[in-house]
Amino acid sequence: MSSWKNLEEEVKQYAQYIWNRKAEPDRLAGINFDCVLTLSEIEKVIVEVTENRSLDKIRGDIARIQIIRTNMMAKNIMVRPYIVCDFQPTQGMKDAGKESYVEVLSFSDFRKIFFDFDTYKHVRSNATFGSAVDPITGENDEAVYTPVGYDILNSVEANAEEIAQRIIDGKKVILLGDYGTGKSRCFREVFNILARRVDETFLYPIAIDLKETWGLESSVEIIRRHFNHLGIGESETDSVVKAFNGKRICFLLDGFDELGSRPWSEDKKKLESIRRHALQGVKDLLSNAGAGFLVSGREHYFNSNKEMMTALGVREDQSVIARCKTEFSYEEFYKYLELNNINVSLPSWLPRKPLILKTIASLDNNKISELFNSSNGDEIEFWYNFIDAMCERDSRIHPILDPDTVKQVLSRLASLTRERAQNVGPITESEVVDVFFEVTGSYPNEQSTVMLQRLPGLGRVSSETGDRNFVDDFVLDGLRALDLVNRVSSSDRNVSNLKWLNPLRKLGVSILSREMQKRNLTSLFITYAKQSLQRDKSNKVSISDVLSALNQIEIDEIDFDGFDFIEAHFGDLNFERANLKNIKFSDGVFESITLGKVDPESIVIKDSFIDRLLGVSSSSGVPAWIKNCEVVSYESIDTLTAIKKSGLTDEQTMLVSILIKVYRQAGNGRLEHTLTKGLAAVNKKSLKKILQYLISNGFLVTSKDNGETIYKPVRKHQERIEKILNELDRSNDEVWEHVTMLSA
């Protein structure tokens, strides 16, 4: 304890929790006591607090208590006395108290009268934490935790230690992220940190998986069910229920998006009402919590932060929103490899996600080396080799199934997730069996059932259910592409009636394109797209996937005769090649559009939602054929990392870096050495040519500072420079074209 006064206050607070009475200093029969509680007219509790480590002091306190006990007995009042020490009392001290029926105990043991946290910690730590489970066994994931950063709005990154500290400081932390980004692992790590610091903070973390509280409408119900699931007795539950709105219990609630089904409705207000009702118990708990807390769930479960705050019962000015990053940084990536003994060099384009790396780590080192060597640095080729390696491994473990059958089963299961709101699943055990029958023509026997329980690329949702999720969309996206190829090439008429929600993303579109060309199916897919567009009922996601793939392969333009494709849903639509011609898209959803250097012929996208528009950096760069659309984000070039990822040539990258630093960043000029600072490839000869061109054409003026050149903007060109930066590789400005020629 930091001071005597703090210890006394803490003891009084715990005494109030234990006996449900006001605890305060009092003077009885002329003797002062630190803490007295009146339980009834005939019963009192006396608690003396000491930090004096001498046996004589303990004996003196016992003597004073005995005087009062005798005095109270004369009035038919029973006294229950305690001496609480700010240290572990010796056996002699305990024996001295025992002789006089006075309990001498440490502050830590006194707290256990209220709540035996050590028992709770042991039981809770051995139970699973959300989806932080081993993909094969469904038990707790025992891989070493890799310290990672979590993005916090308007702040720097925070790690698990810092999130825990914010909770200790009374902050309400909301952690958002999609499946596989590490929410549950962060949840578990924060619990461990808070549990280790209980003796310092006197703050007890209670970690609840919200999926176990479905249908509950009050905080008390949630607390009781949690302790019941852990097999902990009513007395401990009662203590937590009693104190949850005080400052000693902090709740960690994982999975606000798992409190029930997520039904679809065109009525947004109805959906909000459904979500609000499902979270009624959580709101009751959080809005009455007296301490900081952590609550986590999927990023896009709510329509807005405002709806999220209202549904959770959290005030925006008292909360902190943190987000799991979609993948490791390079430093975190290599730390993960080191901590988990993965001794191979992995390519930079490999998704830096724990679940993918765990799957690779399950292969032997020779197979891993062979896997990467045979791919020749080609991400698409690597995907094929990676899937083959997974299926071959499982076929060797369970020879009853050949690798191709394993792949077909996985592809059909991937297709099922097209209709799932959570994208990666879940898939039920019965669905796995049905798909097995569909692929093989027979139901699984005992051996193949074992194999189905551990299919590669799938992970257990938890130990309580046999449901599976795909471990990552890197695996999932390509399998969906294979399934679509198989369906169209086999003239599967059912595909048009499927209600797919999830389109192919960039990797899946690339694999679909490659499959079309490898198997000479391009004409078939063009026919499929045109015929499907004419049907009254059709799977619009599948059509969108096919159009995305056709738009990026080497073929002549495809004329769609002015057809208006209403309510398309594209995961990734790339116009760098632009084979589609004479087609309009209305009221659609475009998760990502990449613009080419040249506008496509007779293409219109109007009245649609575009999540990411790449190729321009702001609304002023949007081409005229994209009309009246809501665009959430553009290609960012305001940071060094964004510039490097923009796909520009080295010379274009240098130009962008110079223009941003001189024209957009604060100050009246930039020193020469800062213009391209941080860029990996700076050709000094090209840099000199770019600077000379900008100066000679009046875009930059120079001065000197201690012998170093300072480059300053010419503000009359500000609007023109902004247009170049907004349009990027689509710009036809002579400045852009001149620098582009340097790359040739």
Side-chain angles (χ1 to χ4, degrees):
M1 296 294 300
S2 59
S3 71
W4 162 257
K5 195 65 180 174
N6 283 345
L7 174 62
E8 187 176 346
E9 288 303 314
E10 295 289 349
V11 169
K12 284 194 293 185
Q13 190 172 75
Y14 275 98
Q16 289 177 169
Y17 289 149
I18 295 166
W19 287 290
N20 271 338
R21 296 291 187 278
K22 187 174 182 180
E24 54 189 356
D26 203 354
R27 184 175 177 84
L28 302 176
I31 300 175
N32 292 325
F33 288 97
D34 299 319
C35 178
V36 177
L37 301 94
T38 300
L39 304 188
S40 68
E41 292 182 356
I42 59 170
E43 186 176 11
K44 290 182 182 291
V45 173
I46 295 175
V47 184
E48 269 295 273
V49 185
T50 183
E51 55 184 0
N52 190 317
R53 294 173 177 264
S54 72
L55 179 59
D56 286 343
K57 174 63 168 64
I58 298 296
R59 285 174 172 162
D61 287 341
I62 291 171
R64 293 166 64 240
I65 288 170
Q66 288 295 75
I67 292 170
I68 292 302
R69 175 179 273 163
T70 302
N71 183 282
M72 292 291 106
M73 286 182 65
K75 300 176 183 179
N76 293 319
I77 298 175
M78 184 179 73
V79 172
R80 295 169 59 183
Y82 296 84
I83 297 177
V84 177
C85 309
D86 188 23
F87 54 87
Q88 189 61 43
T90 65
Q91 190 59 48
M93 294 175 179
K94 293 179 181 180
D95 289 344
K98 191 174 182 180
E99 291 173 1
S100 301
Y101 300 97
V102 176
E103 189 164 357
V104 180
L105 69 170
S106 67
F107 181 47
S108 176
D109 288 335
F110 182 70
R111 296 201 319 258
K112 287 182 182 179
I113 299 175
F114 159 63
F115 177 37
D116 185 358
F117 178 73
D118 289 341
T119 296
Y120 173 80
K121 175 186 173 182
H122 174 76
V123 175
R124 185 65 188 90
S125 296
N126 287 320
T128 57
F129 284 75
S131 59
V133 297
D134 185 287
I136 303 299
T137 66
E139 300 303 320
N140 259 332
D141 181 5
E142 297 303 331
V144 179
Y145 175 75
T146 304
V148 297
Y150 304 92
D151 294 327
I152 292 184
L153 191 64
N154 300 325
S155 182
V156 295
E157 283 187 1
N159 57 29
E161 289 277 359
E162 291 164 331
I163 287 177
Q165 185 59 53
R166 288 172 186 262
I167 295 168
I168 291 168
D169 294 339
K171 294 293 184 183
K172 325 298 186 183
V173 182
I174 303 171
L175 179 65
L176 304 176
D178 289 326
Y179 178 79
T181 56
K183 294 190 305 297
S184 294
R185 198 62 203 266
C186 175
F187 180 79
R188 176 177 164 185
E189 190 65 17
V190 169
F191 173 79
N192 289 335
I193 293 166
L194 293 172
R196 285 197 302 270
R197 296 182 62 183
V198 160
D199 287 339
E200 165 200 347
T201 64
F202 310 122
L203 185 68
Y204 301 108
I206 304 298
I208 301 175
D209 285 341
L210 289 176
K211 65 177 177 289
E212 72 186 29
T213 67
W214 191 90
L216 303 184
E217 298 184 356
S218 76
S219 52
V220 172
E221 289 177 314
I222 289 175
I223 294 168
R224 290 197 179 282
R225 180 173 293 182
H226 173 63
F227 277 79
N228 187 315
H229 275 210
L230 294 176
I232 296 177
E234 285 291 321
S235 61
E236 300 298 336
T237 308
D238 289 342
S239 296
V240 175
V241 168
K242 186 165 45 179
F244 92 89
N245 60 348
K247 295 183 178 180
R248 289 290 160 256
I249 303 293
C250 67
F251 288 96
L252 313 181
L253 308 179
D254 188 22
F256 58 65
D257 55 305
E258 298 187 54
L259 278 172
S261 59
R262 193 183 182 194
W264 176 252
S265 171
E266 295 292 341
D267 187 340
K268 291 185 178 180
K269 291 296 182 183
K270 183 178 180 181
L271 279 175
E272 288 185 16
S273 176
I274 291 169
R275 289 192 287 265
R276 188 168 59 249
H277 181 74
L279 287 162
Q280 191 171 321
V282 173
K283 180 176 182 178
D284 182 43
L285 193 154
L286 295 182
S287 59
N288 289 294
F293 58 71
L294 172 66
V295 58
S296 68
R298 277 192 297 120
E299 171 86 51
H300 301 297
Y301 180 72
F302 296 104
N303 287 333
S304 65
N305 283 353
K306 181 179 179 181
E307 184 200 346
M308 177 175 69
M309 297 295 183
T310 301
L312 296 176
V314 179
R315 281 175 46 186
E316 192 165 354
D317 61 344
Q318 294 181 339
S319 64
V320 174
I321 297 178
R323 285 178 170 83
C324 295
K325 293 182 290 188
T326 56
E327 57 183 17
F328 286 141
S329 67
Y330 281 103
E331 294 77 13
E332 293 162 352
F333 175 63
Y334 288 109
K335 188 65 175 178
Y336 177 92
L337 298 181
E338 176 189 335
L339 290 173
N340 291 281
N341 300 313
I342 303 176
N343 301 314
V344 292
S345 178
L346 302 180
S348 60
W349 43 258
L350 184 74
R352 298 188 300 273
K353 298 183 180 181
L355 292 172
I356 283 290
L357 294 176
K358 281 180 72 67
T359 304
I360 292 174
S362 68
L363 305 171
D364 62 64
N365 281 338
N366 290 336
K367 189 62 182 177
I368 294 174
S369 299
E370 178 188 330
L371 176 63
F372 288 104
N373 291 336
S374 62
S375 302
N376 297 315
D378 182 340
E379 181 179 5
I380 307 304
E381 194 62 33
F382 169 79
W383 184 88
Y384 281 103
N385 292 333
F386 176 67
I387 294 299
D388 287 344
M390 284 202 314
C391 295
E392 287 170 9
R393 183 200 64 177
D394 265 60
S395 180
R396 286 196 301 272
I397 296 171
H398 301 286
I400 190 169
L401 294 179
D402 62 85
D404 190 56
T405 300
V406 177
K407 189 189 298 184
Q408 287 184 56
V409 170
L410 286 173
S411 297
R412 279 304 167 98
L413 292 175
S415 180
L416 289 181
T417 64
R418 296 271 214 158
E419 299 181 358
R420 303 295 194 261
Q422 295 193 49
N423 189 41
V424 292
I427 300 164
T428 66
E429 289 178 289
S430 62
E431 285 174 327
V432 174
V433 170
D434 290 343
V435 165
F436 181 87
F437 177 79
E438 183 182 340
V439 170
T440 66
S442 61
Y443 285 103
N445 58 24
E446 185 175 342
Q447 285 180 290
S448 46
T449 298
V450 172
M451 171 265 171
L452 291 174
Q453 290 174 343
R454 60 182 310 281
L455 277 167
L458 294 177
R460 289 275 294 278
V461 175
S462 73
S463 59
E464 289 83 21
T465 174
D467 291 357
R468 262 71 170 170
N469 281 338
F470 274 86
V471 297
D472 193 87
D473 54 12
F474 176 76
V475 173
L476 179 60
D477 207 26
L479 289 172
R480 285 172 171 170
L482 293 186
D483 174 74
L484 181 53
V485 171
N486 292 333
R487 287 179 184 274
V488 174
S489 62
S490 64
S491 301
D492 182 353
R493 295 182 179 180
N494 186 49
V495 68
S496 295
N497 299 317
L498 297 174
K499 296 179 180 179
W500 286 356
L501 303 175
N502 300 305
L504 296 180
R505 273 72 181 189
K506 184 176 181 179
L507 176 67
V509 170
S510 297
I511 290 172
L512 181 57
S513 297
R514 186 167 296 193
E515 285 290 309
M516 286 182 187
Q517 296 171 91
K518 276 172 46 178
R519 297 162 62 173
N520 296 317
L521 297 173
T522 303
S523 297
L524 176 64
F525 274 86
I526 293 173
T527 301
Y528 170 80
K530 289 187 172 183
Q531 290 181 349
S532 296
L533 285 171
Q534 301 296 332
R535 295 191 182 105
D536 292 335
K537 290 185 177 180
S538 197
N539 182 347
K540 295 184 179 182
V541 167
S542 72
I543 303 171
S544 303
D545 291 343
V546 171
L547 293 179
S548 294
L550 290 172
N551 204 37
Q552 65 178 51
I553 60 179
E554 295 184 18
I555 54 173
D556 294 332
E557 288 182 329
I558 310 166
D559 193 330
F560 285 89
D561 302 318
F563 189 86
D564 188 1
F565 186 7
I566 300 172
E567 295 182 347
H569 187 170
F570 288 87
D572 184 81
L573 183 57
N574 190 317
F575 284 100
E576 290 175 321
R577 187 177 298 277
N579 297 321
L580 306 183
K581 174 183 175 182
N582 204 13
I583 186 171
K584 183 191 299 182
F585 301 98
S586 306
D587 299 312
V589 173
F590 298 80
E591 296 181 15
S592 177
I593 294 178
T594 301
L595 300 175
K597 297 182 69 172
V598 179
D599 288 339
E601 184 176 348
S602 303
I603 296 287
V604 175
I605 298 176
K606 70 171 190 175
D607 303 325
S608 295
F609 174 88
I610 302 172
D611 190 37
R612 294 188 307 279
L613 184 59
L614 306 179
V616 294
S617 63
S618 75
S619 59
S620 61
V622 177
W625 51 274
I626 296 180
K627 303 177 179 181
N628 194 33
C629 292
E630 178 185 350
V631 181
V632 176
S633 65
Y634 301 88
E635 181 147 28
S636 172
I637 56 165
D638 289 332
T639 66
L640 181 60
T641 301
I643 294 172
K644 289 177 179 178
K645 290 181 176 180
S646 62
L648 302 175
T649 66
D650 292 343
E651 286 74 17
Q652 290 170 338
T653 299
M654 282 188 274
L655 174 65
V656 169
S657 178
I658 292 166
L659 296 180
I660 285 176
K661 290 178 179 178
V662 174
Y663 275 86
R664 282 188 175 175
Q665 293 185 359
N668 294 321
R670 310 294 292 184
L671 292 169
E672 184 171 348
H673 78 274
T674 68
L675 292 178
T676 56
K677 185 178 180 181
L679 296 181
V682 177
N683 183 306
K684 291 185 178 180
K685 186 177 179 180
S686 295
L687 175 61
K688 185 177 180 181
K689 289 181 179 179
I690 294 169
L691 290 172
Q692 285 177 341
Y693 176 85
L694 292 173
I695 293 168
S696 63
N697 286 276
F699 295 98
L700 297 178
V701 293
T702 63
S703 61
K704 292 286 185 178
D705 180 17
N706 294 325
E708 187 173 0
T709 303
I710 299 176
Y711 294 86
K712 299 179 180 179
V714 178
R715 290 300 177 189
K716 69 178 183 179
H717 296 303
Q718 184 78 41
E719 185 176 343
R720 182 174 173 184
I721 295 301
E722 288 296 332
K723 191 170 189 295
I724 292 171
L725 292 175
N726 290 334
E727 293 180 344
L728 297 176
D729 209 21
R730 295 175 49 78
S731 175
N732 56 12
D733 191 286
E734 64 182 39
V735 175
W736 188 266
E737 291 183 344
H738 175 81
V739 172
T740 300
M741 289 296 293
L742 296 177
S743 307

